[in-house]
Amino acid sequence: MTIEEITARICAFRDARDWMQFHNPKELAVAITAEAGELLQHFVWQQPGQIEKRVKEKMPELKDEMADVGILLFELAHNLGVDLGQAMLDKIERNETRYPVAKAKGSNAKYNEL
Amino acid sequence: MTIEEITARICAFRDARDWMQFHNPKELAVAITAEAGELLQHFVWQQPGQIEKRVKEKMPELKDEMADVGILLFELAHNLGVDLGQAMLDKIERNETRYPVAKAKGSNAKYNEL
Amino acid sequence: MTIEEITARICAFRDARDWMQFHNPKELAVAITAEAGELLQHFVWQQPGQIEKRVKEKMPELKDEMADVGILLFELAHNLGVDLGQAMLDKIERNETRYPVAKAKGSNAKYNEL
Amino acid sequence: MTIEEITARICAFRDARDWMQFHNPKELAVAITAEAGELLQHFVWQQPGQIEKRVKEKMPELKDEMADVGILLFELAHNLGVDLGQAMLDKIERNETRYPVAKAKGSNAKYNEL
């Protein structure tokens, strides 16, 4: 499925409800952060050995929170005139330089701490 | 661009660095929330009339933060075996019922407060 | 009420349940962010003119979320050996320099943009 | 140090700069979440065995982020007319009922999953 197809569906939903008036970039960033917080909420206090079980129990909720973050993110990129897919590929390319395989393999250090 | 193509690129980048060991679902949810927080940071204290100017000044940073959220979200969905595009369409469909046009048009009330 | 008194109460609650094992600084930071997200959730999509009414309707929930953030923050500071009250006063003092009244009065610009 | 003393200091700082106009409860909730995100940022990808070292290296930054969350939280409570210390004690008392020692000792389950 393409990002563009889904984005078109998101915008049609929004415009049918005349919601663009509420969706300035700040409000979308607020909503993305709040939904990311809901996603995170499912993992609070969970220890490494509990994650797999947690994920199985909470799959419908996790799917829902991921969808919410995605919907808001696709709309924000669209409203800002950003090609999100291209921005992601550009970022990965930049990360190729920041995290060269020879230095970054098996390490979780940040690029400025490698 | 399809979600699947970008996801394949993300996983290739990750696997070349042997990073799957760090990317359990909780860690990805933590990283998504932290990146969403960076996106939000650009708008803190900004008033409605300042948003447009802010967005123009901070476009490279905003593009970058959106890409980060997207990259982590696509990987999380993939790792959980979730078809993110389908999950988003399913959520929009559910929202069609929760927010019928007749009731929701022009309103920013939550579905349980409509 | 002093921060120290409340912190003692928080630690007694935690230790009676043998929860220190779950409360490393990362987990506390995760929990603080998730609770901050719940606080924020109450304001998503709300426009400036709606905030006052919102606050009145949601006061018990807001009080609850603020308490949660505070409880986790006090414990985190305590666990790290940080005197939170002093750290706050130190930060305000630093902000006095970053945001001199003559330049910052009536402005919402960040210190590096003043 | 009392919450009230520090809060008085926070409000004096704010009022000298005429910033109350920017500090409605939503904006404060946005700022709290963004600062919590900065706190979390220091722990992204860090594994349990790395936390202690991380905390030592990042102590000044962590102190700073905790102070920021605290300053904003104390102001929000004050602006809403909430006695934050009392709200925290009330919440701990409620948690005593939700998490009875006999059931909650050594468990990280949520109260509705105990």
Side-chain angles (χ1 to χ4, degrees):
Chain A
M1 214 162 331
T2 68
I3 293 181
E4 292 74 15
E5 286 172 89
I6 299 170
T7 302
R9 189 74 189 76
I10 294 166
C11 293
F13 178 89
R14 175 198 67 195
D15 293 337
R17 283 155 190 80
D18 198 16
W19 281 357
M20 185 62 195
Q21 60 182 310
F22 306 120
H23 288 202
N24 74 38
K26 178 172 180 171
E27 293 306 313
L28 285 165
V30 166
I32 288 169
T33 311
E35 293 299 335
E38 291 198 7
L39 180 65
L40 186 59
Q41 197 72 51
H42 296 290
F43 297 107
V44 171
W45 308 126
Q46 297 292 300
Q47 308 233 301
Q50 298 176 302
I51 310 287
E52 203 180 339
K53 183 161 165 284
R54 188 72 175 174
V55 158
K56 273 181 196 149
E57 285 165 2
K58 296 283 177 184
M59 190 54 86
E61 289 87 350
L62 293 172
K63 204 182 282 196
D64 209 53
E65 317 299 8
M66 287 188 292
D68 281 332
V69 175
I71 288 168
L72 294 159
L73 182 68
F74 283 23
E75 186 190 340
L76 176 58
H78 174 81
N79 292 359
L80 296 183
V82 167
D83 179 335
L84 182 64
Q86 193 55 54
M88 291 168 72
L89 294 180
D90 291 350
K91 185 64 192 271
I92 296 170
E93 205 168 328
R94 186 139 67 92
N95 281 340
E96 294 275 4
T97 318
R98 282 171 152 185
Y99 297 95
V101 170
K103 280 175 96 176
K105 195 161 187 176
S107 161
N108 62 352
K110 265 204 113 168
Y111 66 95
N112 52 11
E113 296 171 349
L114 266 181
Chain B
M1 215 163 329
T2 69
I3 294 181
E4 292 74 16
E5 287 172 87
I6 300 170
T7 303
R9 188 74 189 75
I10 294 166
C11 292
F13 178 89
R14 175 197 68 196
D15 293 338
R17 284 155 189 79
D18 197 15
W19 281 358
M20 186 61 195
Q21 60 182 310
F22 306 120
H23 288 202
N24 75 37
K26 178 172 181 171
E27 293 306 313
L28 285 165
V30 166
I32 288 170
T33 310
E35 294 299 335
E38 290 199 7
L39 180 66
L40 186 60
Q41 197 72 50
H42 297 291
F43 297 108
V44 171
W45 307 127
Q46 297 292 300
Q47 307 232 300
Q50 298 176 301
I51 310 288
E52 204 181 337
K53 182 162 166 285
R54 188 74 177 171
V55 159
K56 275 184 195 146
E57 286 165 1
K58 296 282 177 185
M59 190 55 84
E61 289 87 349
L62 293 172
K63 204 182 281 196
D64 208 54
E65 317 299 6
M66 287 189 293
D68 282 332
V69 175
I71 288 168
L72 294 159
L73 182 68
F74 283 23
E75 186 190 341
L76 176 58
H78 175 81
N79 292 0
L80 296 184
V82 167
D83 179 335
L84 182 64
Q86 193 55 54
M88 290 168 73
L89 294 180
D90 290 351
K91 185 64 191 271
I92 296 170
E93 204 168 328
R94 186 139 65 93
N95 281 341
E96 294 276 3
T97 317
R98 280 172 154 184
Y99 296 96
V101 171
K103 280 174 96 176
K105 193 160 187 175
S107 161
N108 63 352
K110 266 203 111 167
Y111 67 94
N112 52 12
E113 295 170 351
L114 268 179
Chain C
M1 216 164 327
T2 68
I3 294 181
E4 292 74 17
E5 287 172 89
I6 300 170
T7 303
R9 188 74 189 76
I10 294 166
C11 293
F13 178 90
R14 174 197 68 195
D15 293 338
R17 284 155 190 80
D18 197 15
W19 282 356
M20 186 62 196
Q21 60 182 310
F22 306 121
H23 288 202
N24 75 38
K26 177 171 181 171
E27 293 305 313
L28 285 165
V30 166
I32 287 170
T33 311
E35 293 299 335
E38 289 198 8
L39 180 65
L40 186 59
Q41 196 72 52
H42 296 291
F43 297 108
V44 172
W45 308 127
Q46 297 292 300
Q47 308 233 304
Q50 298 176 301
I51 310 288
E52 203 180 339
K53 183 162 166 284
R54 188 72 175 174
V55 159
K56 274 181 195 147
E57 286 165 1
K58 296 282 177 185
M59 190 55 86
E61 289 87 350
L62 293 172
K63 203 181 282 196
D64 208 54
E65 318 297 9
M66 287 188 292
D68 282 331
V69 174
I71 288 168
L72 294 159
L73 182 68
F74 283 23
E75 186 190 340
L76 176 58
H78 175 81
N79 292 0
L80 297 183
V82 167
D83 179 335
L84 181 64
Q86 194 55 55
M88 289 167 75
L89 294 180
D90 290 350
K91 185 64 192 268
I92 296 170
E93 206 169 326
R94 186 139 65 94
N95 281 341
E96 294 277 2
T97 317
R98 282 173 154 184
Y99 297 96
V101 170
K103 280 175 97 176
K105 193 161 187 175
S107 161
N108 63 352
K110 266 203 112 168
Y111 67 95
N112 51 11
E113 297 170 349
L114 266 180
Chain D
M1 216 166 324
T2 68
I3 294 181
E4 292 74 16
E5 286 173 88
I6 299 170
T7 303
R9 188 75 188 76
I10 294 166
C11 292
F13 178 89
R14 175 197 68 196
D15 293 338
R17 283 153 190 80
D18 198 15
W19 281 357
M20 186 61 195
Q21 59 181 312
F22 306 120
H23 288 202
N24 76 38
K26 178 173 181 172
E27 293 306 314
L28 286 165
V30 166
I32 288 169
T33 311
E35 294 299 335
E38 291 198 7
L39 180 65
L40 186 59
Q41 197 71 49
H42 297 290
F43 297 107
V44 170
W45 308 127
Q46 297 291 300
Q47 306 231 301
Q50 298 175 301
I51 310 287
E52 205 181 335
K53 184 162 165 284
R54 187 74 175 171
V55 159
K56 274 181 196 150
E57 287 165 1
K58 297 281 177 186
M59 190 55 85
E61 290 86 349
L62 293 172
K63 203 182 280 195
D64 208 54
E65 317 298 7
M66 287 189 293
D68 282 332
V69 174
I71 288 168
L72 294 159
L73 181 68
F74 282 23
E75 186 191 339
L76 177 58
H78 175 80
N79 292 359
L80 296 184
V82 167
D83 179 335
L84 182 64
Q86 193 54 55
M88 290 167 74
L89 294 180
D90 291 350
K91 185 64 192 271
I92 297 169
E93 205 168 327
R94 187 138 66 92
N95 281 341
E96 294 276 3
T97 318
R98 281 173 154 182
Y99 297 96
V101 171
K103 280 174 95 177
K105 194 162 187 173
S107 161
N108 63 353
K110 264 204 114 169
Y111 66 94
N112 52 12
E113 296 170 350
L114 268 180

